[in-house]
Amino acid sequence: MNWKIIHIDETDSTNRWVKDHGDGSRDPVVWADYQTSGRGCGTNRWESERGKNLLFSILLHPTQIVAAKQFHISMAISLAICEALGQYIGDLSIKWPNDIYWRNGKICGILIENTLKGNTIKDSIIGVGLNVNQRTFHSDAPNPVSLWQIAGQETDREQLLKDILNCLDRYLYHDIKAQYCSMLYRRKGFHPYTDKDGVFMAEIVDVEDDGHLLLRDDSGNDRRYAFKEVTFII
């Protein structure tokens, strides 16, 4: 990809910034030292100390990917981040659909906004909040962790961004589902979940091409979930 990397001091949201400034000639990547309205999925907020973490958004025009398989973008960026972080730490996994975990701590969140045109993806904005050099967290988020807390040293944020983009280049247009499934958090054994009917124990069976999670509970029943329909109990 012909990435156009832009560094800015502050914005309300890197997703909004890249949406407003993309000109179609090159795929822009913007990273910011601080977001005034950084967010995760839904109403979730993303805590980030100024100048410490990697907050960035990528604008793609992945017209080769059909709308029915748009979850491929989520798999690609998740694997790219895991590979880039793997230079520094182990014990990484992907908590479905695309949170990056170190053991039981969340090191990275991803927010993807796709615009469809017919049966293809016209635009895809990938927003990433990656905890890099922050040493303490003060929000009520249950399990944040940073690269500094794990590795005990500062990491060059811009170089890490370039490493992620290089990895994304290799994952974006290849068959990666098996690799994604092999990296899933709690991919083996039975673990606790909760849905609208309450708590249950289940194991991961598969993730469908459209992103649905398939679980099998300890009574042998198969359960199929879209995003936000089931919660991991950690």
Side-chain angles (χ1 to χ4, degrees), residues 18-38:
V18 80
K19 185 185 302 181
D20 292 347
H21 292 81
D23 61 9
S25 60
R26 296 174 70 188
D27 290 322
V29 180
V30 61
W31 64 291
D33 288 333
Y34 188 70
Q35 288 185 124
T36 57
S37 300

Side-chain angles (χ1 to χ4, degrees), residues 17-206:
W17 194 99
V18 80
K19 185 185 302 181
D20 292 347
H21 292 81
D23 61 9
S25 60
R26 296 174 70 188
D27 290 322
V29 180
V30 61
W31 64 291
D33 288 333
Y34 188 70
Q35 288 185 124
T36 57
S37 300
R39 65 187 181 94
C41 294
T43 59
N44 295 340
R45 296 295 299 270
W46 185 263
E47 177 193 356
S48 182
E49 186 179 343
R50 182 182 293 273
K52 292 294 185 181
N53 300 317
L54 189 51
L55 313 172
F56 68 95
S57 292
I58 305 168
L59 175 61
L60 297 175
H61 306 285
T63 53
Q64 303 96 315
I65 300 174
V66 298
K69 294 188 176 182
Q70 58 188 288
F71 188 70
H72 181 87
I73 297 171
S74 182
M75 294 192 294
I77 186 63
S78 299
L79 287 170
I81 292 169
C82 283
E83 182 174 331
L85 287 175
Q87 303 173 89
Y88 307 96
I89 55 175
D91 292 332
L92 291 161
S93 62
I94 303 166
K95 186 169 80 66
W96 176 87
N98 54 25
D99 285 340
I100 309 304
Y101 266 48
W102 177 78
R103 298 181 182 174
N104 289 318
K106 181 175 177 178
I107 193 170
C108 179
I110 301 168
L111 176 64
I112 299 175
E113 301 175 85
N114 292 326
T115 303
L116 307 181
K117 184 177 182 180
N119 66 347
T120 62
I121 303 171
K122 178 178 179 290
D123 302 308
S124 181
I125 297 176
I126 305 171
V128 175
L130 174 55
N131 298 328
V132 182
N133 294 321
Q134 187 160 335
R135 300 191 179 194
T136 57
F137 294 89
H138 305 286
S139 75
D140 57 0
N143 59 341
V145 68
S146 71
L147 188 53
W148 185 92
Q149 290 175 328
I150 301 164
Q153 61 185 21
E154 295 273 324
T155 300
D156 185 316
R157 293 177 298 147
E158 184 173 10
Q159 184 58 55
L160 181 55
L161 172 59
K162 291 177 179 178
D163 292 342
I164 291 169
L165 294 175
N166 286 336
C167 294
L168 182 60
D169 276 341
R170 289 187 284 101
Y171 286 120
L172 198 54
Y173 298 113
H174 290 85
D175 183 2
I176 55 173
K177 181 185 172 185
Q179 189 172 353
Y180 170 84
C181 288
S182 74
M183 288 290 296
L184 284 174
Y185 176 72
R186 293 182 174 174
R187 59 191 174 275
K188 295 180 180 179
F190 284 83
H191 300 276
Y193 299 84
T194 183
D195 63 10
K196 61 182 178 60
D197 297 318
V199 177
F200 62 97
M201 298 292 292
E203 62 179 349
I204 294 175
V205 176
D206 195 12

Side-chain angles (χ1 to χ4, degrees), residues 203 205 213-217 219-225:
E203 62 179 349
V205 176
L213 177 67
L214 299 183
L215 299 177
R216 181 168 296 131
D217 64 29
S219 297
N221 301 309
D222 290 341
R223 302 179 180 222
R224 181 175 183 266
Y225 295 99

